Amino acid sequence: MATARLKNLQKDALRVVIVGAGPAGTRCAETLVAAGIRPILLDENRRDGGQIYRRQPEGFTRDYATLYGSEAEKARALHQSFDRLRERIDYRPDTLVWSLTPGQLCCVSQGKHTTVDYDALILCTGATDRLMPIEGWQLAGTYSLGGAQIALKAQAVSIGRRVVFLGSGPLLYLVASQYLKAGATVAAVLDTSPLRKRIAALPKLLARPGLLFTGMKLLAQLYLARIPVHLGVEPQQVLGDAASGVSAVRVRTSHGDNLQFDCDALALGYHLRPETQLADLAGCRMRFQEVSQQWVLDTDGEGRTSVRGVYAAGDGARIRGADAAEHAGRLVALALLQDLQQPVHGEALALQRRVLAVMDEFSHGLCQAFPWPAAQAKALADEAIVCRCEMITAGELRSVVREKGACEVNRAKAFSRVGMGRCQGRYCSQAGAEVIAAAAGVAVERVGRQRGQAPVKPLSMLTEELKQAEEVAP
Amino acid sequence: MSARFVRLAEGERPTVRLMVDGEPIEALQGDTLMVALLTRVSALRQSEFDPGRRAGFCLMGACQDCWVWTRSGERLRACSNEVREGLDIVTRQPEAIWPLRG
Ligand SMILES: Cc1cc2nc3c(=O)[nH]c(=O)nc-3n(C[C@H](O)[C@H](O)[C@H](O)COP(=O)(O)OP(=O)(O)OC[C@H]3O[C@@H](n4cnc5c(N)ncnc54)[C@H](O)[C@@H]3O)c2cc1C
Ligand code: FES
């Protein structure tokens, strides 16, 4: 959809579609509504809020402070803004966008397939956990770190009786302290990032002193509660058996000691990766972000992708966190309005850009302080599972590189099936790329990235017929 | 098999009855199927590729490790579907008489 076409459309005839009702999508919708546009807002979830400000189900009674801690006021403000918008936008929850062609989205809602036409598309699709395998991570009881948080936030349960937190990133300390506060037993917090990385990142982290302070407070809470916290660990193995799952986690400390923590659950995660599949299907250009060592969307400073009429904001474009997502949502809406030749206050644009520059600096600091542990992929034992969907090992992946010369991720995927399973590469493709790069002896950006494929999530092809059959069945 | 998940709060909700693999169970209103199951047992399903049991991974609809089925063959993600009174769930894929695709 060329901008030229956008300009010719009347505001009320213009079909603006936002995918994702998290902080980015909500603020984007709000800004468009203020300019007289009624966007369509699609989200796979039943309720608005996105990841961080996920709402608990009806009938749950915990208050904002309990649920969102230091972010309670932001959560309340976002939910209230959304509630005010409800009547002024075309909000369609429970709607997965599973593919797209230029000008049209393919959706599925409660088993029914629908299409939604668009003139302008704004992708606010957020992020998922970024994972690096550890030997034994396929055992039942290993959850993604974000998943461990969802269990608590959305369902008021702990993922186990004794939980180990392993990985790196701010979320590691946040979720561990949320578990502690909720009365769960935290067996240990094991961070692969050494202290010196954090010290080196301090100048950048000081871009947002408030957040830095919150982070230090979390750490202090864990120490005060006498939770074992180790920095700079090397993950060794998740122990357990096929029938009952996780029974312990073993790491090597920075002093070279082997430590083992008994537990029945492991929360594992290394910060986040953007959900870029839809943008990829739309043909939007991606770029390798040096500081985070991953592929992100190549947008201009305001959220325009390389494809005209397709915009992106929030963690789905690149990982900058929830506050930045709100600002990026507002900014991308202003960018669209500009492209539509609508009056936009230069000051409003400049303000959002200024705020985002500070948040960029901070997010780079986080990447430095809690680096992606690429070296682990190289050190991974041949028997370790890389693809937990189909149980494909690091050794099998290495052998397609060595024997078939498959040094590009999509080729290696075709031979090894890593990235072809149920998760469609969300949890294995980045680590897989590192394993391939290490085996081929090249830099990870040289092995490429896994292409997005439709459907972006597996579809159950059963539709209404089945529901009817279920109703008439005795 | 002992429970995997531990309830920490919100225990005051009304109960909902449903069937899982032919057995009646009770859950709390607002529970996801995953929570309804894993507060009773330690896994959701058998892996198709190894002897391992599986209990989900991401809880946000991204990994698809938590599939269960209605008795008539509709596939559900246990982490993103709530319990309903009278729901009849099986944890093994029923004989596929419908065109299933994954
Ligand atoms: C599990 C998890 C836990 C997190 N916890 C915290 C935390 O405690 N504190 C913190 O500061 N940050 C946290 N983060 C990061 C934080 O969530 C993000 O920075 C913030 O939510 C980004 O906002 P967003 O609007 O870009 O995306 P999100 O809030 O992630 O919203 C994206 C929305 O898009 C929808 N969507 C995606 N793809 C599709 C599709 N194909 N079709 C339809 N809908 C789709 C999703 O359902 C979702 O509602 C967490 C991230 C994750 C993944
Ligand atoms: S646990 Fe990942 S999709 Fe349900």
Side-chain angles (χ1 to χ4, degrees):
Chain A
M1 299 301 96
T3 315
R5 220 189 107 193
L6 284 182
K7 278 182 209 158
N8 299 334
L9 284 167
Q10 290 296 314
K11 239 184 357 190
D12 354 318
L14 185 81
R15 293 156 308 180
V16 178
V17 180
I18 305 169
V19 183
T26 302
R27 292 305 177 201
C28 174
E30 184 179 52
T31 309
L32 292 174
V33 164
I37 290 176
R38 183 183 170 88
I40 298 175
L41 176 54
L42 309 173
D43 198 302
E44 184 189 4
N45 278 341
R46 297 226 163 90
R47 305 199 69 188
D48 59 283
Q51 282 309 340
I52 169 169
Y53 305 130
R54 176 182 285 271
R55 297 203 198 206
Q56 58 186 353
E58 311 273 354
F60 282 58
T61 55
R62 289 167 299 169
D63 59 16
Y64 272 82
T66 312
L67 267 179
Y68 304 105
S70 63
E71 306 307 291
E73 282 320 305
K74 290 181 202 162
R76 193 196 309 272
L78 194 84
H79 293 164
Q80 286 174 348
S81 296
F82 192 90
D83 293 340
R84 282 193 296 270
L85 281 176
R86 277 297 287 255
E87 301 303 311
R88 303 169 69 190
I89 60 177
D90 181 351
Y91 171 49
R92 304 185 195 171
D94 207 352
T95 303
L96 169 73
V97 182
W98 61 270
S99 186
L100 55 78
T101 52
Q104 192 173 69
L105 303 177
C106 303
C107 307
V108 58
S109 182
Q110 303 191 328
K112 264 197 233 145
H113 291 267
T114 55
T115 55
V116 176
D117 294 333
Y118 68 86
D119 299 301
L121 173 65
I122 307 171
L123 298 169
C124 301
T125 46
T128 60
D129 290 276
R130 193 178 185 192
L131 266 298
M132 175 59 80
I134 165 175
E135 196 172 343
W137 73 314
Q138 72 278 8
L139 292 169
T142 302
Y143 290 95
S144 76
L145 185 56
Q149 189 192 43
I150 294 171
L152 186 62
K153 250 191 207 175
Q155 292 280 297
V157 301
S158 156
I159 56 168
R161 262 169 246 96
R162 278 178 67 77
V163 186
V164 167
F165 291 83
L166 169 63
S168 198
L171 218 53
L172 188 70
Y173 298 93
L174 175 65
V175 184
S177 55
Q178 287 170 336
Y179 263 61
L180 187 67
K181 202 167 143 206
T185 306
V186 177
V189 178
L190 308 170
D191 188 338
T192 53
S193 166
L195 184 62
R196 64 186 154 77
K197 295 272 183 195
R198 249 164 276 184
I199 294 169
L202 271 179
K204 286 195 174 132
L205 295 177
L206 276 168
R208 300 182 68 189
L211 271 191
L212 181 61
F213 180 68
T214 309
M216 295 198 312
K217 238 174 34 188
L218 293 179
L219 191 58
Q221 280 165 10
L222 294 168
Y223 279 123
L224 271 178
R226 302 187 183 283
I227 308 291
V229 177
H230 294 271
L231 308 185
V233 302
E234 275 175 49
Q236 302 288 305
Q237 201 180 352
V238 184
L239 305 170
D241 63 67
S244 53
V246 175
S247 63
V249 172
R250 194 185 290 154
V251 296
R252 184 173 301 139
T253 66
S254 50
H255 311 294
D257 304 325
N258 282 318
L259 290 183
Q260 183 167 319
F261 296 93
D262 292 339
C263 60
D264 61 352
L266 167 64
L268 181 67
Y270 296 86
H271 215 40
L272 303 169
R273 55 167 281 284
E275 274 283 293
T276 53
Q277 288 89 345
L278 289 176
D280 205 5
L281 290 177
C284 301
R285 195 167 55 229
M286 311 265 293
R287 67 180 170 87
F288 188 77
Q289 190 186 28
E290 208 54 51
V291 61
S292 67
Q293 290 287 298
Q294 66 182 338
W295 292 88
V296 299
L297 268 182
D298 192 6
T299 57
D300 73 358
E302 295 171 356
R304 294 176 189 85
T305 70
S306 63
V307 176
R308 283 199 185 165
V310 181
Y311 302 74
D315 277 0
R318 65 178 191 277
I319 306 301
R320 293 191 290 190
D323 295 347
E326 290 194 43
H327 290 284
R330 292 191 185 102
L331 183 59
V332 77
L334 295 175
L336 171 62
L337 291 171
Q338 265 191 331
D339 294 347
L340 294 167
Q341 314 267 291
Q342 297 291 308
V344 168
H345 274 296
E347 187 43 41
L349 263 174
L351 171 71
Q352 299 303 337
R353 293 192 66 139
R354 266 200 310 277
V355 178
L356 279 167
V358 174
M359 297 191 171
D360 261 332
E361 176 84 355
F362 184 78
S363 74
H364 291 175
L366 283 183
C367 293
Q368 256 181 16
F370 305 102
W372 165 245
Q376 268 185 54
K378 190 173 178 186
L380 211 55
D382 270 343
E383 310 75 66
I385 300 295
V386 174
C387 157
R388 53 187 302 294
C389 298
E390 299 198 359
M391 297 294 286
I392 301 156
T393 62
E396 286 171 81
L397 188 52
R398 286 173 184 138
S399 76
V400 306
V401 176
R402 296 208 182 100
E403 286 153 30
K404 302 231 166 60
C407 301
E408 191 275 331
V409 289
N410 295 288
R411 237 173 95 73
K413 171 182 159 188
F415 287 125
S416 68
R417 292 193 59 83
V418 167
M420 272 196 199
R422 296 172 170 210
C423 83
Q424 296 175 287
R426 285 182 175 79
Y427 296 108
C428 60
S429 71
Q430 289 209 4
E434 297 287 357
V435 171
I436 295 166
V442 299
V444 70
E445 61 268 38
R446 298 264 315 280
V447 303
R449 58 179 186 82
Q450 190 178 315
R451 282 187 293 271
Q453 256 172 358
V456 301
K457 288 190 182 177
L459 298 175
S460 182
M461 282 306 185
L462 304 165
T463 51
E464 304 102 282
E465 311 96 85
L466 244 190
K467 291 236 166 66
Q468 286 160 9
E470 199 180 3
E471 273 154 27
V472 290
Chain B
M1 276 211 292
S2 61
R4 178 164 297 287
F5 285 178
V6 182
R7 291 191 194 273
L8 298 173
E10 304 281 2
E12 305 293 299
R13 286 168 284 147
T15 52
V16 172
R17 275 155 311 188
L18 64 156
M19 301 290 280
V20 176
D21 293 330
E23 300 282 331
I25 70 160
E26 277 191 358
L28 301 182
Q29 206 166 71
D31 278 356
T32 59
L33 288 171
M34 187 171 194
V35 166
L37 269 84
L38 293 183
T39 47
R40 314 172 62 83
V41 294
S42 71
L44 293 173
R45 67 180 187 98
Q46 182 59 46
S47 156
E48 318 89 298
F49 296 92
D50 74 315
R53 304 279 299 157
R54 290 298 176 93
F57 183 70
C58 74
L59 280 81
M60 55 177 286
C63 75
Q64 320 294 328
D65 193 19
C66 63
W67 290 348
V68 296
W69 289 264
T70 61
R71 191 160 287 281
S72 49
E74 187 188 10
R75 193 178 74 209
L76 301 174
R77 285 190 312 232
C79 73
S80 23
N81 283 281
E82 284 180 18
V83 295
R84 266 183 287 130
E85 187 75 31
L87 202 59
D88 192 357
I89 292 296
V90 289
T91 59
R92 280 172 183 230
Q93 181 164 12
E95 283 303 310
I97 41 168
W98 305 95
L100 283 170
R101 217 187 99 174

